Amino acid sequence: MARGKIQIKRIENQTNRQVTYSKRRNGLFKKAHELTVLCDARVSIIMFSSSNKLHEFISPNTTTKEIIDLYQTVSDVDVWSAHYERMQETKRKLLETNRKLRTQIKQRLGECLDELDIQELRSLEEEMENTFKLVRERKFKSLGNQIETTKKKVKTSSIFTHFAFLSYYLSQYFRVM
Amino acid sequence: MARGKIQIKRIENQTNRQVTYSKRRNGLFKKAHELTVLCDARVSIIMFSSSNKLHEFISPNTTTKEIIDLYQTVSDVDVWSAHYERMQETKRKLLETNRKLRTQIKQRLGECLDELDIQELRSLEEEMENTFKLVRERKFKSLGNQIETTKKKVKTSSIFTHFAFLSYYLSQYFRVM
DNA sequence: GACACTATTTATAACAG
DNA sequence: TCTGTTATAAATAGTGT
């Protein structure tokens, strides 16, 4: 018997609370099911008891995941938004950085030079000149290393192989100079 | 009046269905609220009407996100991972692209040349040489444009300004040659 | 469409076994 | 702790405004 009007406030007695939780949970789920059938709706109920026990209801012919995905799509107060926005921002910045890097590379390939003013062209020219020298030196050094290695290998390699490399080296050497 | 036992089956009349949906939804939310207070529980209800309208209930002092996060932790249903993984993958790829672009630029600044073999050095050398020429030509052309502009402006500019620019132009010209 | 009424059904708090 | 009973509160279908 519901003796006296129910006061809606926390049931302090642990046992009564537990019993009421169980009963009302069933009631709630029953109502949810009726609503589903009567009104052709989809309902997801997720609940945690005071002891953090999970109970859920989900309308037949759907899944909780489906409902949550839809919820995410439809609702503006997007539970995922904090993460999502942050990642979107990161992605945006990375794309922007990549774009700038690509422009730099293009300019170092002689493209998009129109965008540069005379000062920028001068810097770039100087930079290219320096790097060109560095690369040339490096290549020369690399060739030097190779000929050293070849000298050491010469005893075990055929005179033909040795000669072939020497020819290549010399051609590169004069190309470089 | 609830005249006659309610049959739990879809209400075919569109209007009645809509009304019942609204009424029962309120009833359900009220019950959920009572359960929250009486039993110290947390409840999340997400529902979609037959016309895909979203309605939700969430216990006070919590958020839908919290409940869903907890739900995900406790149950095995993996709600966000699909989205999350996809974005992580995108980010990873962008960072990788970014890294490669930076390496290319460094090499075009004469750094990190150790990583290149002789063939790569040769390509790079050639590329640098070509670009250097392009940049030089471009600068020369840019200077040419400036002197043209200056010629046209000469009537309205002082002879001093004109002479000063010409000196600069000539210094650049001989620098370029 | 929202609200008011009301006969009835339904849910349930307190209690009992 | 659970299951059942029951007096009573609450919900609500159908109707009217």
Side-chain angles (χ1 to χ4, degrees), chain A residues 35 39, chain B residues 1 16-30:
Chain A
L35 190 47
C39 307
Chain B
M1 320 105 183
N16 287 348
R17 192 169 64 231
Q18 167 56 36
V19 171
T20 296
Y21 178 72
S22 173
K23 283 184 174 180
R24 279 181 172 258
R25 171 160 44 78
N26 286 332
L28 194 71
F29 287 180
K30 188 181 173 197

Side-chain angles (χ1 to χ4, degrees), chain A residues 23-35:
Chain A
K23 284 185 173 178
R24 277 180 173 260
R25 172 161 42 79
N26 287 333
L28 194 71
F29 286 0
K30 188 181 171 196
K31 291 270 181 208
H33 177 254
E34 289 175 0
L35 190 47

Side-chain angles (χ1 to χ4, degrees), chain A:
Chain A
M1 321 103 186
R3 288 133 196 222
K5 191 174 175 180
I6 301 162
Q7 295 302 313
I8 303 300
K9 58 186 295 187
R10 187 173 191 270
I11 297 167
E12 294 303 333
N13 181 293
Q14 151 85 41
T15 309
N16 286 349
R17 192 169 66 232
Q18 166 57 35
V19 171
T20 296
Y21 178 73
S22 171
K23 284 185 173 178
R24 277 180 173 260
R25 172 161 42 79
N26 287 333
L28 194 71
F29 286 0
K30 188 181 171 196
K31 291 270 181 208
H33 177 254
E34 289 175 0
L35 190 47
T36 297
V37 175
L38 287 168
C39 307
D40 198 22
R42 282 162 296 163
V43 183
S44 157
I45 304 180
I46 299 172
M47 50 197 293
F48 291 93
S49 70
S50 56
S51 56
N52 284 322
K53 214 164 172 170
L54 167 68
H55 295 278
E56 68 171 315
F57 170 85
I58 184 66
S59 297
N61 305 321
T62 189
T63 63
T64 302
K65 174 164 169 37
E66 223 175 301
I67 297 294
I68 294 176
D69 275 349
L70 205 52
Y71 174 76
Q72 183 187 224
T73 311
V74 172
S75 87
D76 279 333
V77 186
D78 193 336
V79 295
W80 180 235
S81 66
H83 285 283
Y84 191 76
E85 299 276 319
R86 213 179 309 134
M87 292 199 74
Q88 284 287 15
E89 181 61 12
T90 304
K91 183 182 158 191
R92 203 191 55 70
K93 281 183 182 163
L94 278 170
L95 279 170
E96 177 62 13
T97 306
N98 279 358
R99 198 190 59 73
K100 284 180 182 164
L101 290 170
R102 280 182 210 281
T103 302
Q104 283 190 43
I105 288 179
K106 274 188 180 172
Q107 286 168 352
R108 282 167 182 76
L109 288 166
E111 299 167 35
C112 302
L113 295 177
D114 294 337
E115 296 163 14
L116 302 177
D117 64 25
I118 186 75
Q119 277 308 319
E120 290 168 332
L121 280 168
R122 284 195 58 187
S123 316
L124 186 57
E125 176 195 32
E126 205 169 321
E127 180 198 303
M128 298 303 296
E129 194 170 11
N130 291 337
T131 308
F132 175 56
K133 284 179 192 161
L134 281 169
V135 174
R136 191 167 55 178
E137 281 164 21
R138 183 82 207 172
K139 196 186 82 171
F140 183 60
K141 191 178 161 200
S142 180
L143 285 164
N145 288 343
Q146 284 205 14
I147 205 159
E148 282 303 314
T149 311
T150 309
K151 270 183 188 166
K152 288 171 191 163
K153 280 188 185 165
V154 73
K155 290 164 194 164
T156 55
S157 65
S158 76
I159 190 71
F160 180 75
T161 308
H162 187 206
F163 181 74
F165 178 77
L166 212 58
S167 303
Y168 176 73
Y169 168 72
L170 289 171
S171 76
Q172 288 299 308
Y173 185 83
F174 286 113
R175 191 180 177 286
V176 164
M177 293 312 277

Side-chain angles (χ1 to χ4, degrees), chain B residues 16-145:
Chain B
N16 287 348
R17 192 169 64 231
Q18 167 56 36
V19 171
T20 296
Y21 178 72
S22 173
K23 283 184 174 180
R24 279 181 172 258
R25 171 160 44 78
N26 286 332
L28 194 71
F29 287 180
K30 188 181 173 197
K31 291 270 179 209
H33 178 255
E34 289 175 0
L35 189 47
T36 296
V37 176
L38 288 167
C39 306
D40 198 23
R42 282 163 296 163
V43 184
S44 158
I45 304 181
I46 299 171
M47 51 197 292
F48 291 93
S49 70
S50 57
S51 54
N52 285 321
K53 216 164 173 170
L54 167 68
H55 296 278
E56 68 171 315
F57 169 86
I58 184 66
S59 297
N61 306 319
T62 189
T63 63
T64 302
K65 170 169 169 40
E66 228 176 295
I67 297 295
I68 294 176
D69 278 348
L70 203 53
Y71 174 75
Q72 188 183 219
T73 310
V74 174
S75 74
D76 280 334
V77 176
D78 199 341
V79 176
W80 302 129
S81 69
H83 289 280
Y84 191 75
E85 302 269 321
R86 214 178 309 135
M87 293 204 71
Q88 284 288 12
E89 179 62 11
T90 304
K91 184 183 159 189
R92 203 192 55 68
K93 281 182 182 162
L94 279 170
L95 278 170
E96 176 64 10
T97 305
N98 198 301
R99 199 189 59 72
K100 283 180 182 164
L101 289 170
R102 281 183 204 283
T103 303
Q104 282 190 44
I105 287 179
K106 276 188 179 170
Q107 286 167 353
R108 281 167 183 77
L109 287 167
E111 300 166 35
C112 302
L113 295 177
D114 294 338
E115 296 163 15
L116 301 177
D117 64 24
I118 186 72
Q119 275 309 319
E120 289 166 334
L121 281 168
R122 284 197 57 188
S123 315
L124 186 57
E125 177 195 30
E126 205 169 320
E127 180 196 303
M128 298 304 297
E129 195 171 11
N130 291 337
T131 308
F132 175 57
K133 283 178 192 162
L134 281 168
V135 174
R136 192 167 55 178
E137 281 163 21
R138 183 81 208 176
K139 197 186 81 171
F140 181 61
K141 190 178 161 199
S142 180
L143 284 165
N145 288 342

